[in-house]
Amino acid sequence: MSDDTQTSRPYGGNTRAAWLATATGIPIYVILSAVVWGPGVALYAAIADEPGATVDSAALAVIAAVGILIAVVGIAFVAHTVGRVVFARTNDQELGKAAVAFGAMAAVLAVVPVVLIAMGQDDPWAAAAASVVIILFPCALTSAATRALLPSVDRFAALRTAVIVLLVLAVIAVVVFTFYAFV
């Protein structure tokens, strides 16, 4: 088993931690988004009274586009900006508390697209509910899980390799979903 332990802590600095968080967070977000997509669409369809709701619905198309943007640029942007600040402030905390802080940070940040999506739709309550399920929950859970996994990803070379493989698969999944949704 490869234990390739890093000697400098924490994580070789905030820049390394931000890149590790980006590489770890994207696959987690893509997996969580895939899991909640169906229930989120069903919730939208029930509230909007649109039984056959698909990504062809304007609200779901916007939610899908925002989700794609979060996966492609949002996670990296947050990890390298606000995430660095939260990381520096929580670095000395227990891992569980730090993960909760990161989850709360992501939930607060995700409220902005949820509100904007809801405001721009014909049925704002349905769009808001679906956005909370499809956007906000995966953002918060991704951020918390990423922070919880960060020490292990930093410590073990095999886990970093697995994260990179998952990252590549996640990017492929986002490209496939984009073509499915918008082409």
Side-chain angles (χ1 to χ4, degrees):
M1 187 152 143
S2 170
D3 252 10
D4 192 59
T5 305
Q6 300 292 325
T7 56
S8 65
R9 292 283 180 260
Y11 312 101
N14 285 347
T15 300
R16 178 178 167 90
W19 282 112
L20 287 173
T22 300
T24 305
I26 291 171
I28 293 171
Y29 180 79
V30 169
I31 290 166
L32 289 173
S33 293
V35 168
V36 300
W37 178 258
V41 170
L43 180 63
Y44 175 81
I47 295 172
D49 197 27
E50 192 178 320
T54 65
V55 78
D56 292 336
S57 167
L60 293 175
V62 170
I63 292 169
V66 169
I68 291 166
L69 287 173
I70 289 170
V72 174
V73 295
I75 292 171
F77 179 76
V78 170
H80 289 277
T81 57
V82 180
R84 284 183 182 216
V85 174
V86 175
F87 180 78
R89 292 182 185 250
T90 62
N91 196 26
D92 294 333
Q93 291 181 352
E94 295 175 19
L95 190 55
K97 288 181 181 179
V100 168
F102 268 79
M105 170 204 66
V108 168
L109 292 173
V111 166
V112 173
V114 166
V115 169
L116 292 175
I117 289 168
M119 287 175 34
Q121 302 307 317
D122 292 335
D123 195 341
W125 292 110
S131 296
V132 166
V133 171
I134 298 172
I135 300 292
L136 192 139
F137 286 165
C139 284
L141 293 174
T142 294
S143 190
T146 298
R147 181 59 181 96
L149 289 171
L150 198 57
S152 297
V153 172
D154 181 51
R155 185 166 287 120
F156 301 109
L159 193 51
R160 283 192 303 277
T161 302
V163 163
I164 297 303
V165 169
L166 289 173
L167 175 63
V168 170
L169 293 173
V171 170
I172 291 169
V174 168
V175 169
V176 169
F177 178 75
T178 302
F179 280 103
Y180 159 75
F182 297 108
V183 175

